[in-house]
Amino acid sequence: MADNSVEGLKARYGDRWRWLAVITVVMGTMATVLSATVVNVALHDIMMEFGIRQGQVHWLATGFIAAMTTTMLASTWLLDRFGVRLTLACAMAMFTVISVIGGFAETPGQLIAARVGQGAMAGLMQPMGMFLVFRIFPPEQRGQAMGIYGMGVILAPALGPVLGGFLVDQFNWRYVMYAPAPVTLLGVWMAWRFLPLPRSRPANYPFDFLGLALLGSLIALTLDTLTRLQELTGQEVRVLVQGMVAVALLAAFLFRARTARYPLIKLDLLRRPVFLFATLGAMALGLALFGSTYLIPLFVQTTLGFSATEAGLLMLPAGIVLGMTFPLAGRLADRRSARSLVLFGIVVFALSAVLFAVTGHLVGFGWLAFWAILGRIGIGFMLPALSTGAMNPLPPELMGAGSSTINFARQLGGALGVNIVALTIEFGAHQGGLPTFSAFQSAWWLVAVFVAVAAIPVWKMRS
């Protein structure tokens, strides 16, 4: 039987075992982000087949992100209890099964349930990469390693629409559910081969099931309330009551986090100023990443008449450019101020959103692709710098909790961002049952403003 201790891996592969381990977690990251984005170019076809509107179909994106956000904080306990190797391998195996089942969905409810299941497994996988990088690499190499790891986060949203568009046009939308399965199957094999067993494990401690239930209920109720705002007439009382219950759930969750011996989220981390400001920046990054990835394909297909393939190809140049530049951003994160790199990324992304808002219906394919490139470059500079700025000051025993919290913040921003973007589009002008350019224009301005406001906490970072 192969020795998967750190020493055994070093003996077999030398120093390159660390990079093999990073590539392994990149597989999981690419699968999760790919599944979060590949469905976007299929939304139009799904709406047509099932006869549903934007207000319901957006749950295919929002439900995934909401489930991923909810389960993400559980990864700290799983890492402490079972280690990264077993946790990641099992999560990827379950993800594969759920993806295949989702491809056979016969109703919108079944498809949404499959997306929620995918998201739940994705939430367990997402923090693994950051945790592993900050545990096995020395501080002076973490930015570079995060640059390689981050390629999975950045390339998957760029390649997802391209793959999704090809599958939708050449086959049908069901194949976008099958698409991540080969990646996660390969990831299971790689996890078993290249990931290390933990050197030691902390003493067993109970999992905070009550905290998870409160958090899950809070996120689901908040997103459902935002969805009901899209058709508010006749639901005013229900929306008001749900809003009040959501506030009560938030208070209960925070109380639980403050008083539980082993809480789902360690609020003490947020008392560290740099970590707090980086967490707020991560929420803005999530909004930028998932909000724009949801918005661009729907925007060009609905208002400009692009096919699913054309909508996907629009994102391809952004993926190619970031594939070349993201490692550079990681190296800079080892040498430059995290604050300056994140602020640069915010400015570039906000510029991209403004350009989409003011010129989207006036320019051709090439210019739209360039606006998408600008946005992804901005995100690329934000991710590794936020990670190193937040995690480098933490002691080793807090790496798992820190990784889960930063990833949770990014996904929470994504969940809220997609929902708020969808709400803005639904409230905008419609013609023939479809949103007009002015509705999308409002959504682009909203994304630009949200990301720009994030510059305030980021400016206070001193790392």
Side-chain angles (χ1 to χ4, degrees), residues 234-292:
Q235 300 192 90
E236 293 88 351
V237 174
R238 178 166 184 168
V239 168
L240 178 61
V241 171
Q242 287 192 183
M244 295 171 64
V245 173
V247 172
L249 286 170
L250 175 61
F253 176 73
L254 292 175
F255 178 79
R256 174 68 179 177
R258 287 176 61 88
T259 58
R261 186 176 181 185
Y262 301 105
L264 193 66
I265 185 171
K266 296 182 184 295
L267 293 181
D268 287 346
L269 284 172
L270 300 180
R271 294 192 179 98
R272 299 169 178 256
V274 171
F275 191 88
L276 171 62
F277 299 141
T279 300
L280 295 174
M283 289 186 68
L285 173 63
L287 188 150
L289 176 62
F290 290 100
S292 63

Short mmCIF file of all heavy atoms in Angstrom, two decimals, residues 234-292:
data_model
loop_
_atom_site.label_atom_id
_atom_site.label_comp_id
_atom_site.label_asym_id
_atom_site.label_seq_id
_atom_site.Cartn_x
_atom_site.Cartn_y
_atom_site.Cartn_z
N GLY A 234 -49.50 41.14 -3.95
CA GLY A 234 -50.20 40.07 -3.26
C GLY A 234 -49.36 39.31 -2.26
O GLY A 234 -49.88 38.45 -1.53
N GLN A 235 -48.04 39.58 -2.21
CA GLN A 235 -47.16 38.87 -1.29
C GLN A 235 -46.49 39.81 -0.28
O GLN A 235 -45.53 39.41 0.38
CB GLN A 235 -46.06 38.14 -2.07
CG GLN A 235 -46.57 37.10 -3.05
CD GLN A 235 -45.44 36.23 -3.55
OE1 GLN A 235 -45.11 35.19 -2.97
NE2 GLN A 235 -44.82 36.64 -4.65
N GLU A 236 -47.01 41.01 -0.15
CA GLU A 236 -46.36 42.00 0.70
C GLU A 236 -46.21 41.52 2.13
O GLU A 236 -45.13 41.65 2.74
CB GLU A 236 -47.14 43.32 0.67
CG GLU A 236 -47.13 44.04 -0.66
CD GLU A 236 -48.24 43.58 -1.59
OE1 GLU A 236 -48.92 42.59 -1.25
OE2 GLU A 236 -48.44 44.23 -2.63
N VAL A 237 -47.28 40.95 2.67
CA VAL A 237 -47.24 40.50 4.07
C VAL A 237 -46.25 39.35 4.24
O VAL A 237 -45.45 39.33 5.18
CB VAL A 237 -48.65 40.07 4.54
CG1 VAL A 237 -48.58 39.47 5.95
CG2 VAL A 237 -49.59 41.26 4.53
N ARG A 238 -46.29 38.41 3.31
CA ARG A 238 -45.37 37.27 3.40
C ARG A 238 -43.92 37.72 3.32
O ARG A 238 -43.07 37.23 4.07
CB ARG A 238 -45.67 36.27 2.29
CG ARG A 238 -44.71 35.08 2.30
CD ARG A 238 -45.19 33.95 1.44
NE ARG A 238 -44.29 32.81 1.54
CZ ARG A 238 -44.57 31.59 1.07
NH1 ARG A 238 -45.74 31.37 0.49
NH2 ARG A 238 -43.70 30.61 1.20
N VAL A 239 -43.63 38.63 2.40
CA VAL A 239 -42.26 39.12 2.27
C VAL A 239 -41.82 39.82 3.55
O VAL A 239 -40.68 39.64 4.02
CB VAL A 239 -42.15 40.07 1.06
CG1 VAL A 239 -40.83 40.83 1.08
CG2 VAL A 239 -42.28 39.29 -0.24
N LEU A 240 -42.71 40.63 4.14
CA LEU A 240 -42.38 41.32 5.38
C LEU A 240 -42.11 40.33 6.51
O LEU A 240 -41.12 40.47 7.25
CB LEU A 240 -43.52 42.26 5.76
CG LEU A 240 -43.34 43.03 7.08
CD1 LEU A 240 -42.11 43.93 7.01
CD2 LEU A 240 -44.60 43.85 7.39
N VAL A 241 -42.96 39.32 6.63
CA VAL A 241 -42.78 38.31 7.69
C VAL A 241 -41.48 37.54 7.48
O VAL A 241 -40.71 37.31 8.42
CB VAL A 241 -43.99 37.36 7.74
CG1 VAL A 241 -43.71 36.19 8.68
CG2 VAL A 241 -45.24 38.11 8.19
N GLN A 242 -41.23 37.13 6.23
CA GLN A 242 -39.99 36.39 5.95
C GLN A 242 -38.77 37.24 6.25
O GLN A 242 -37.75 36.74 6.76
CB GLN A 242 -39.97 35.92 4.49
CG GLN A 242 -40.91 34.77 4.20
CD GLN A 242 -40.69 34.13 2.85
OE1 GLN A 242 -41.41 33.22 2.47
NE2 GLN A 242 -39.69 34.56 2.11
N GLY A 243 -38.83 38.53 5.93
CA GLY A 243 -37.72 39.42 6.24
C GLY A 243 -37.46 39.50 7.73
O GLY A 243 -36.30 39.47 8.18
N MET A 244 -38.53 39.57 8.52
CA MET A 244 -38.38 39.62 9.97
C MET A 244 -37.81 38.31 10.52
O MET A 244 -36.97 38.32 11.42
CB MET A 244 -39.73 39.94 10.62
CG MET A 244 -40.26 41.33 10.27
SD MET A 244 -41.96 41.60 10.82
CE MET A 244 -41.74 41.50 12.61
N VAL A 245 -38.28 37.19 9.98
CA VAL A 245 -37.75 35.89 10.42
C VAL A 245 -36.28 35.77 10.06
O VAL A 245 -35.47 35.23 10.84
CB VAL A 245 -38.56 34.74 9.78
CG1 VAL A 245 -37.92 33.39 10.09
CG2 VAL A 245 -40.00 34.76 10.30
N ALA A 246 -35.89 36.28 8.87
CA ALA A 246 -34.48 36.23 8.47
C ALA A 246 -33.61 37.02 9.43
O ALA A 246 -32.51 36.58 9.80
CB ALA A 246 -34.32 36.77 7.05
N VAL A 247 -34.09 38.19 9.87
CA VAL A 247 -33.34 38.98 10.85
C VAL A 247 -33.20 38.21 12.15
O VAL A 247 -32.13 38.20 12.79
CB VAL A 247 -34.03 40.34 11.07
CG1 VAL A 247 -33.37 41.09 12.24
CG2 VAL A 247 -33.98 41.18 9.81
N ALA A 248 -34.28 37.53 12.58
CA ALA A 248 -34.23 36.75 13.81
C ALA A 248 -33.25 35.58 13.68
O ALA A 248 -32.50 35.27 14.62
CB ALA A 248 -35.63 36.23 14.16
N LEU A 249 -33.23 34.93 12.51
CA LEU A 249 -32.29 33.83 12.28
C LEU A 249 -30.85 34.32 12.31
O LEU A 249 -29.95 33.64 12.83
CB LEU A 249 -32.59 33.15 10.94
CG LEU A 249 -33.81 32.25 10.89
CD1 LEU A 249 -34.12 31.84 9.45
CD2 LEU A 249 -33.62 31.01 11.76
N LEU A 250 -30.62 35.50 11.74
CA LEU A 250 -29.27 36.08 11.77
C LEU A 250 -28.83 36.32 13.20
O LEU A 250 -27.70 35.99 13.58
CB LEU A 250 -29.24 37.37 10.96
CG LEU A 250 -27.93 38.16 11.00
CD1 LEU A 250 -26.78 37.33 10.43
CD2 LEU A 250 -28.07 39.48 10.24
N ALA A 251 -29.72 36.89 14.00
CA ALA A 251 -29.39 37.15 15.41
C ALA A 251 -29.11 35.84 16.15
O ALA A 251 -28.17 35.75 16.95
CB ALA A 251 -30.53 37.91 16.08
N ALA A 252 -29.92 34.80 15.87
CA ALA A 252 -29.73 33.51 16.53
C ALA A 252 -28.41 32.87 16.12
O ALA A 252 -27.70 32.29 16.95
CB ALA A 252 -30.90 32.58 16.19
N PHE A 253 -28.06 32.99 14.82
CA PHE A 253 -26.80 32.42 14.35
C PHE A 253 -25.60 33.12 14.99
O PHE A 253 -24.64 32.46 15.42
CB PHE A 253 -26.72 32.51 12.83
CG PHE A 253 -25.42 32.02 12.27
CD1 PHE A 253 -25.12 30.67 12.24
CD2 PHE A 253 -24.47 32.91 11.77
CE1 PHE A 253 -23.91 30.21 11.73
CE2 PHE A 253 -23.27 32.47 11.26
CZ PHE A 253 -22.99 31.12 11.24
N LEU A 254 -25.65 34.43 15.06
CA LEU A 254 -24.55 35.18 15.68
C LEU A 254 -24.44 34.85 17.17
O LEU A 254 -23.34 34.72 17.71
CB LEU A 254 -24.75 36.68 15.48
CG LEU A 254 -24.63 37.18 14.03
CD1 LEU A 254 -24.97 38.65 13.93
CD2 LEU A 254 -23.23 36.91 13.49
N PHE A 255 -25.58 34.69 17.83
CA PHE A 255 -25.56 34.31 19.25
C PHE A 255 -24.94 32.93 19.41
O PHE A 255 -24.13 32.69 20.33
CB PHE A 255 -26.98 34.33 19.82
CG PHE A 255 -27.07 33.91 21.25
CD1 PHE A 255 -26.71 34.79 22.27
CD2 PHE A 255 -27.49 32.62 21.59
CE1 PHE A 255 -26.78 34.40 23.61
CE2 PHE A 255 -27.56 32.22 22.92
CZ PHE A 255 -27.20 33.12 23.93
N ARG A 256 -25.33 32.02 18.54
CA ARG A 256 -24.76 30.66 18.59
C ARG A 256 -23.25 30.70 18.35
O ARG A 256 -22.49 30.02 19.05
CB ARG A 256 -25.44 29.80 17.51
CG ARG A 256 -24.85 28.41 17.34
CD ARG A 256 -25.12 27.54 18.54
NE ARG A 256 -24.57 26.19 18.36
CZ ARG A 256 -24.61 25.24 19.28
NH1 ARG A 256 -25.22 25.47 20.44
NH2 ARG A 256 -24.08 24.06 19.06
N ALA A 257 -22.81 31.51 17.39
CA ALA A 257 -21.39 31.60 17.09
C ALA A 257 -20.60 32.19 18.27
O ALA A 257 -19.43 31.85 18.47
CB ALA A 257 -21.16 32.45 15.84
N ARG A 258 -21.23 33.06 19.04
CA ARG A 258 -20.55 33.70 20.17
C ARG A 258 -20.52 32.79 21.40
O ARG A 258 -19.60 32.90 22.21
CB ARG A 258 -21.24 35.01 20.53
CG ARG A 258 -20.99 36.13 19.56
CD ARG A 258 -21.78 37.37 19.95
NE ARG A 258 -21.38 37.85 21.27
CZ ARG A 258 -20.39 38.69 21.49
NH1 ARG A 258 -19.69 39.16 20.47
NH2 ARG A 258 -20.10 39.10 22.71
N THR A 259 -21.50 31.92 21.55
CA THR A 259 -21.63 31.16 22.80
C THR A 259 -21.25 29.69 22.68
O THR A 259 -20.93 29.06 23.70
CB THR A 259 -23.07 31.25 23.31
OG1 THR A 259 -23.98 30.76 22.30
CG2 THR A 259 -23.43 32.70 23.63
N ALA A 260 -21.27 29.12 21.46
CA ALA A 260 -20.95 27.69 21.32
C ALA A 260 -19.46 27.46 21.56
O ALA A 260 -18.62 28.30 21.24
CB ALA A 260 -21.34 27.20 19.92
N ARG A 261 -19.15 26.30 22.13
CA ARG A 261 -17.75 25.97 22.38
C ARG A 261 -17.01 25.72 21.07
O ARG A 261 -15.83 26.08 20.93
CB ARG A 261 -17.66 24.75 23.29
CG ARG A 261 -16.23 24.42 23.72
CD ARG A 261 -16.20 23.27 24.68
NE ARG A 261 -14.83 22.97 25.10
CZ ARG A 261 -14.50 21.93 25.86
NH1 ARG A 261 -15.44 21.10 26.31
NH2 ARG A 261 -13.24 21.72 26.18
N TYR A 262 -17.68 25.08 20.14
CA TYR A 262 -17.08 24.81 18.83
C TYR A 262 -18.03 25.33 17.74
O TYR A 262 -18.76 24.56 17.12
CB TYR A 262 -16.84 23.31 18.65
CG TYR A 262 -15.93 22.72 19.69
CD1 TYR A 262 -16.44 21.94 20.73
CD2 TYR A 262 -14.56 22.94 19.65
CE1 TYR A 262 -15.60 21.39 21.70
CE2 TYR A 262 -13.71 22.40 20.60
CZ TYR A 262 -14.24 21.63 21.63
OH TYR A 262 -13.41 21.11 22.58
N PRO A 263 -18.04 26.63 17.50
CA PRO A 263 -19.00 27.21 16.56
C PRO A 263 -18.63 26.91 15.11
O PRO A 263 -17.48 26.60 14.79
CB PRO A 263 -18.90 28.72 16.84
CG PRO A 263 -17.49 28.90 17.32
CD PRO A 263 -17.16 27.65 18.10
N LEU A 264 -19.64 27.03 14.25
CA LEU A 264 -19.43 26.81 12.82
C LEU A 264 -18.47 27.84 12.24
O LEU A 264 -17.67 27.54 11.36
CB LEU A 264 -20.78 26.87 12.10
CG LEU A 264 -20.83 26.37 10.66
CD1 LEU A 264 -20.55 24.88 10.60
CD2 LEU A 264 -22.19 26.69 10.05
N ILE A 265 -18.56 29.07 12.71
CA ILE A 265 -17.67 30.14 12.26
C ILE A 265 -17.03 30.79 13.47
O ILE A 265 -17.70 31.06 14.47
CB ILE A 265 -18.44 31.19 11.42
CG1 ILE A 265 -17.48 32.24 10.86
CG2 ILE A 265 -19.57 31.83 12.21
CD1 ILE A 265 -18.13 33.18 9.86
N LYS A 266 -15.73 31.02 13.39
CA LYS A 266 -15.00 31.61 14.51
C LYS A 266 -15.03 33.13 14.37
O LYS A 266 -14.29 33.71 13.56
CB LYS A 266 -13.55 31.10 14.53
CG LYS A 266 -13.43 29.61 14.79
CD LYS A 266 -11.97 29.20 14.85
CE LYS A 266 -11.82 27.70 15.01
NZ LYS A 266 -12.34 27.21 16.31
N LEU A 267 -15.89 33.77 15.15
CA LEU A 267 -16.01 35.22 15.06
C LEU A 267 -14.74 35.93 15.51
O LEU A 267 -14.50 37.09 15.14
CB LEU A 267 -17.20 35.70 15.90
CG LEU A 267 -18.59 35.26 15.41
CD1 LEU A 267 -19.67 35.83 16.33
CD2 LEU A 267 -18.83 35.70 13.97
N ASP A 268 -13.91 35.24 16.29
CA ASP A 268 -12.65 35.86 16.73
C ASP A 268 -11.77 36.23 15.53
O ASP A 268 -10.99 37.19 15.61
CB ASP A 268 -11.88 34.91 17.64
CG ASP A 268 -12.53 34.79 19.02
OD1 ASP A 268 -13.40 35.64 19.32
OD2 ASP A 268 -12.17 33.88 19.78
N LEU A 269 -11.89 35.48 14.44
CA LEU A 269 -11.10 35.80 13.26
C LEU A 269 -11.44 37.20 12.73
O LEU A 269 -10.56 37.91 12.23
CB LEU A 269 -11.37 34.78 12.15
CG LEU A 269 -10.71 33.40 12.29
CD1 LEU A 269 -11.25 32.45 11.23
CD2 LEU A 269 -9.20 33.51 12.19
N LEU A 270 -12.71 37.57 12.85
CA LEU A 270 -13.14 38.87 12.31
C LEU A 270 -12.73 40.02 13.22
O LEU A 270 -12.94 41.18 12.86
CB LEU A 270 -14.66 38.86 12.12
CG LEU A 270 -15.18 37.79 11.14
CD1 LEU A 270 -16.69 37.86 11.02
CD2 LEU A 270 -14.52 37.93 9.77
N ARG A 271 -12.15 39.71 14.38
CA ARG A 271 -11.62 40.77 15.23
C ARG A 271 -10.20 41.15 14.81
O ARG A 271 -9.64 42.10 15.33
CB ARG A 271 -11.63 40.33 16.69
CG ARG A 271 -13.05 40.14 17.25
CD ARG A 271 -13.03 39.98 18.77
NE ARG A 271 -14.38 39.84 19.29
CZ ARG A 271 -14.94 38.68 19.60
NH1 ARG A 271 -14.25 37.56 19.42
NH2 ARG A 271 -16.16 38.63 20.06
N ARG A 272 -9.66 40.40 13.87
CA ARG A 272 -8.35 40.74 13.30
C ARG A 272 -8.61 41.68 12.12
O ARG A 272 -9.21 41.28 11.12
CB ARG A 272 -7.62 39.48 12.81
CG ARG A 272 -7.34 38.48 13.93
CD ARG A 272 -6.88 37.15 13.36
NE ARG A 272 -6.56 36.19 14.40
CZ ARG A 272 -5.34 35.86 14.78
NH1 ARG A 272 -4.28 36.40 14.18
NH2 ARG A 272 -5.15 34.99 15.74
N PRO A 273 -8.18 42.95 12.21
CA PRO A 273 -8.59 43.94 11.20
C PRO A 273 -8.28 43.53 9.76
O PRO A 273 -9.14 43.65 8.88
CB PRO A 273 -7.81 45.19 11.61
CG PRO A 273 -7.59 45.04 13.08
CD PRO A 273 -7.40 43.57 13.30
N VAL A 274 -7.06 43.04 9.50
CA VAL A 274 -6.70 42.68 8.13
C VAL A 274 -7.62 41.57 7.61
O VAL A 274 -8.10 41.61 6.48
CB VAL A 274 -5.22 42.26 8.04
CG1 VAL A 274 -4.91 41.67 6.67
CG2 VAL A 274 -4.31 43.46 8.30
N PHE A 275 -7.88 40.58 8.46
CA PHE A 275 -8.73 39.47 8.05
C PHE A 275 -10.16 39.96 7.79
O PHE A 275 -10.81 39.54 6.83
CB PHE A 275 -8.74 38.37 9.10
CG PHE A 275 -9.38 37.09 8.64
CD1 PHE A 275 -8.62 36.12 7.99
CD2 PHE A 275 -10.73 36.86 8.82
CE1 PHE A 275 -9.21 34.95 7.54
CE2 PHE A 275 -11.33 35.70 8.37
CZ PHE A 275 -10.56 34.73 7.74
N LEU A 276 -10.65 40.86 8.64
CA LEU A 276 -12.00 41.40 8.46
C LEU A 276 -12.11 42.15 7.13
O LEU A 276 -13.06 41.93 6.36
CB LEU A 276 -12.35 42.33 9.62
CG LEU A 276 -13.65 43.13 9.46
CD1 LEU A 276 -14.84 42.20 9.37
CD2 LEU A 276 -13.81 44.12 10.62
N PHE A 277 -11.14 43.01 6.84
CA PHE A 277 -11.21 43.79 5.61
C PHE A 277 -11.05 42.90 4.39
O PHE A 277 -11.70 43.12 3.36
CB PHE A 277 -10.14 44.88 5.62
CG PHE A 277 -10.29 45.86 6.75
CD1 PHE A 277 -9.19 46.36 7.42
CD2 PHE A 277 -11.55 46.28 7.16
CE1 PHE A 277 -9.32 47.26 8.47
CE2 PHE A 277 -11.70 47.18 8.20
CZ PHE A 277 -10.59 47.67 8.86
N ALA A 278 -10.21 41.88 4.49
CA ALA A 278 -10.06 40.93 3.39
C ALA A 278 -11.35 40.14 3.17
O ALA A 278 -11.72 39.82 2.03
CB ALA A 278 -8.90 39.99 3.65
N THR A 279 -12.05 39.83 4.25
CA THR A 279 -13.32 39.11 4.15
C THR A 279 -14.36 39.94 3.40
O THR A 279 -15.09 39.44 2.54
CB THR A 279 -13.83 38.74 5.54
OG1 THR A 279 -12.87 37.89 6.19
CG2 THR A 279 -15.15 37.99 5.47
N LEU A 280 -14.42 41.23 3.72
CA LEU A 280 -15.34 42.12 3.01
C LEU A 280 -14.95 42.22 1.53
O LEU A 280 -15.82 42.25 0.65
CB LEU A 280 -15.35 43.50 3.66
CG LEU A 280 -15.90 43.57 5.09
CD1 LEU A 280 -15.71 44.96 5.67
CD2 LEU A 280 -17.37 43.16 5.13
N GLY A 281 -13.65 42.28 1.26
CA GLY A 281 -13.20 42.28 -0.12
C GLY A 281 -13.56 40.99 -0.84
O GLY A 281 -13.90 41.01 -2.03
N ALA A 282 -13.50 39.86 -0.13
CA ALA A 282 -13.86 38.58 -0.74
C ALA A 282 -15.33 38.54 -1.12
O ALA A 282 -15.70 37.94 -2.13
CB ALA A 282 -13.53 37.43 0.22
N MET A 283 -16.19 39.19 -0.32
CA MET A 283 -17.61 39.25 -0.68
C MET A 283 -17.79 40.02 -2.00
O MET A 283 -18.57 39.62 -2.86
CB MET A 283 -18.40 39.92 0.43
CG MET A 283 -18.54 39.08 1.69
SD MET A 283 -19.65 39.83 2.92
CE MET A 283 -21.22 39.69 2.06
N ALA A 284 -17.04 41.11 -2.14
CA ALA A 284 -17.12 41.88 -3.38
C ALA A 284 -16.59 41.06 -4.55
O ALA A 284 -17.14 41.11 -5.67
CB ALA A 284 -16.32 43.17 -3.25
N LEU A 285 -15.53 40.28 -4.33
CA LEU A 285 -15.00 39.42 -5.39
C LEU A 285 -16.03 38.40 -5.83
O LEU A 285 -16.21 38.14 -7.02
CB LEU A 285 -13.74 38.71 -4.89
CG LEU A 285 -13.13 37.65 -5.80
CD1 LEU A 285 -12.68 38.27 -7.11
CD2 LEU A 285 -11.96 36.96 -5.12
N GLY A 286 -16.75 37.81 -4.86
CA GLY A 286 -17.79 36.84 -5.19
C GLY A 286 -18.89 37.47 -6.02
O GLY A 286 -19.36 36.88 -7.01
N LEU A 287 -19.31 38.66 -5.64
CA LEU A 287 -20.33 39.36 -6.41
C LEU A 287 -19.85 39.62 -7.83
O LEU A 287 -20.59 39.42 -8.79
CB LEU A 287 -20.70 40.66 -5.71
CG LEU A 287 -21.90 41.44 -6.29
CD1 LEU A 287 -22.61 42.22 -5.20
CD2 LEU A 287 -21.49 42.39 -7.40
N ALA A 288 -18.61 40.07 -7.95
CA ALA A 288 -18.06 40.36 -9.28
C ALA A 288 -17.96 39.11 -10.13
O ALA A 288 -18.37 39.09 -11.30
CB ALA A 288 -16.69 41.02 -9.13
N LEU A 289 -17.43 38.03 -9.56
CA LEU A 289 -17.20 36.80 -10.31
C LEU A 289 -18.50 36.16 -10.75
O LEU A 289 -18.73 35.92 -11.94
CB LEU A 289 -16.39 35.82 -9.47
CG LEU A 289 -16.13 34.43 -10.08
CD1 LEU A 289 -15.32 34.56 -11.36
CD2 LEU A 289 -15.39 33.54 -9.08
N PHE A 290 -19.39 35.88 -9.79
CA PHE A 290 -20.61 35.14 -10.11
C PHE A 290 -21.67 36.05 -10.73
O PHE A 290 -22.42 35.62 -11.60
CB PHE A 290 -21.16 34.45 -8.86
CG PHE A 290 -20.30 33.30 -8.41
CD1 PHE A 290 -19.40 33.45 -7.38
CD2 PHE A 290 -20.39 32.08 -9.05
CE1 PHE A 290 -18.60 32.40 -6.97
CE2 PHE A 290 -19.59 31.01 -8.65
CZ PHE A 290 -18.70 31.17 -7.61
N GLY A 291 -21.74 37.31 -10.28
CA GLY A 291 -22.72 38.22 -10.86
C GLY A 291 -22.46 38.47 -12.33
O GLY A 291 -23.37 38.39 -13.16
N SER A 292 -21.20 38.73 -12.69
CA SER A 292 -20.89 39.00 -14.10
C SER A 292 -20.97 37.74 -14.94
O SER A 292 -21.37 37.79 -16.11
CB SER A 292 -19.50 39.63 -14.21
OG SER A 292 -18.50 38.75 -13.75
#
